[in-house]
Amino acid sequence: MPFFLLASAALPLLVDGADPLRRPLWQLPALGCALPLAALAALAFPLLRPLEVAAVRSLCGVPAERLAEGPAGSRDARRRTALWFVAHLLAGGIVGGMTLAAPPAAVLLLLTPLTADPPGLSSLGWPRAVHGPAAPLAGLALLALVLGTAWGAGALLARWAPALLGPSPAERLAAAERRAAELAARNRLARELHDAVGHALSAVTLQAGAARRVLDADPEFARQALAAIEDTTRAAVAELDTVLGLLREERDGEDGAPAAPAPTLDDLDALVDRTRAAGVPVTLETAGHRTGLPPVVSREAYRIVQEGLSNALRHAGPVPVRVHICWNEGELALTIENPTAAAGEAPGPRPRPGGGRGLRGIAERARLLGGHASATAEHGVWRLTARLPVAPAGTGTGSP
C-alpha cells in the first residue's frame, strides 16, 4: 500500500488526467508503477528477506529448511529477493483488488432474480446484461473466480519461494561447513569422554573387584587397591574437567590456556602406573626421540594408548599388555598387544553391551591426523596398531 499510494500521488503529476484514487481504470497503471519502487526497496534493504521468509513459512506452508536464513548478503540473493517481492506484491494487488470489487458485484447478481430493482442497480448498467437464472450463476462464478485466483496465486508463490528465497550455493556451503564443524566438535567431545572416563571406570572396577576378593586374606593389598582407586579417580576428575572446559569454552588466565591441560605422551608413565595398580602387568617400550613431537599428535597418541589399555581391561581382564611406541622417519607408530583372555579362561573378547565406540574413536583420531589404525586378533593375541604422520613442531602441520 505505501508503494501504491506513492505511485498514485506521483502519476497525476506525470500524466494529465490520471487519477488512480477516483478512476478505477488508472489503478492498474499505478500498481505497475509501484512494483519497480518495491524492487528498489528490496535491493536496498537486506532485512526484507527474513520478513518475506517468515510470511512464506506461515502463509504458504513451505518447509523452513528450503528457505534461507538471515538477511540477503550477496547481490544474487538481493536480486532474487527483489524478484520475489515484486511477485508477492503483484499477486497481492490483483487478489486484493478482486476481493474488494467482485463480492459486491456478485451480491448484485445474486439479488437480480429476487427483485426488479436491487439497491444501487439503477446507477449501474452492467448487471442488466445478465438476465433471469443466469444472473445468480454469474455471481457464483464471480465468487469462484476470486477464490480460484487467490488459491492459484498462493500455489504459484509457494512454488517460486524456494527458488527465490532459498539459500544460495555460497550460503549452502557455509551452512554445511558450520554443520560439519559442529559435528566434529561433538565427536571430539564424545571421544574425549569415552577415553578418559571409560578408562578410569574400567580400572576402578578391576581394582575394586580385586580388593573385595582379598579384603580378609590380604588387607595390605586391599589398602593398595583403594589407594590406586583414589589416584585413578583423581586423575579421571582432572581429565573430566579438561573435557568440560572444552565444552564450556572456559578459560583461565590471560594467556588463553585451557583450565586443565590435556594429557600427552609425557603423562604416559603415570597412565601405565595406574593401569599396573589395577593388576594389569604393562610393558612399555619406546624407540626414537619424543622431543619435537607436535602437541596435537602427542595428545591423540596418548588417547589411543589409553583406549588400548581400557580395551584390555574390559575385554581380557588382568592379562599382560605390551605397549610399543616408535617414532621413525616422520611417523609415530603405536602397537598394543595382549592375550585375548587371562590364563585359564576361554579365549575371545568378553561380551559387553554398548561396545564398539572405542575402536571407532581410535580410527577417527588417526584419520583426522592423516594416519590410520587397525585392530586384529590372531593366534590368541589382540593387536591394536596406529600410525600417525608427524612433522617437527613449528613446521605448519595442520591440526584436526
Side-chain angles (χ1 to χ4, degrees), residues 108-109 111-112 115-129:
L108 290 177
L109 291 173
L111 294 177
T112 298
T115 177
D117 189 12
L121 189 61
S122 58
S123 62
L124 299 175
W126 62 266
R128 297 183 182 276

Side-chain angles (χ1 to χ4, degrees), residues 37-124:
L37 299 177
L40 292 177
L43 292 173
F45 298 101
L47 288 175
L48 181 65
R49 187 172 72 171
L51 299 177
E52 291 299 306
V53 166
V56 169
R57 290 178 180 175
S58 302
L59 302 178
C60 296
V62 178
E65 60 270 12
R66 301 185 63 187
L67 302 174
E69 297 181 356
S74 63
R75 291 184 177 179
D76 176 66
R78 293 189 183 188
R79 285 195 297 265
R80 290 189 291 116
T81 303
L83 183 58
W84 161 265
F85 195 44
V86 169
H88 182 188
L89 296 187
L90 177 60
I94 294 174
V95 174
M98 293 181 64
T99 305
L100 292 174
V107 171
L108 290 177
L109 291 173
L110 291 173
L111 294 177
T112 298
L114 301 179
T115 177
D117 189 12
L121 189 61
S122 58
S123 62
L124 299 175

Side-chain angles (χ1 to χ4, degrees), residues 178-191 368 400:
R178 288 194 300 269
R179 179 61 176 167
E182 293 174 359
L183 292 177
R186 291 174 57 184
N187 290 337
R188 179 189 178 190
L189 292 174
R191 289 193 303 268
L368 288 173

Side-chain angles (χ1 to χ4, degrees), residues 280 308 310-322 336-351 359 375-384:
V280 177
S310 299
N311 282 337
L313 287 171
R314 295 190 191 104
H315 297 284
V319 299
V321 180
R322 172 178 171 267
I336 304 173
E337 297 177 340
N338 62 272
T340 56
E345 295 184 0
R350 298 177 179 178
L359 295 178
T376 58
E378 297 179 354
H379 308 294
V381 176
W382 177 265
R383 181 176 293 106
L384 172 66

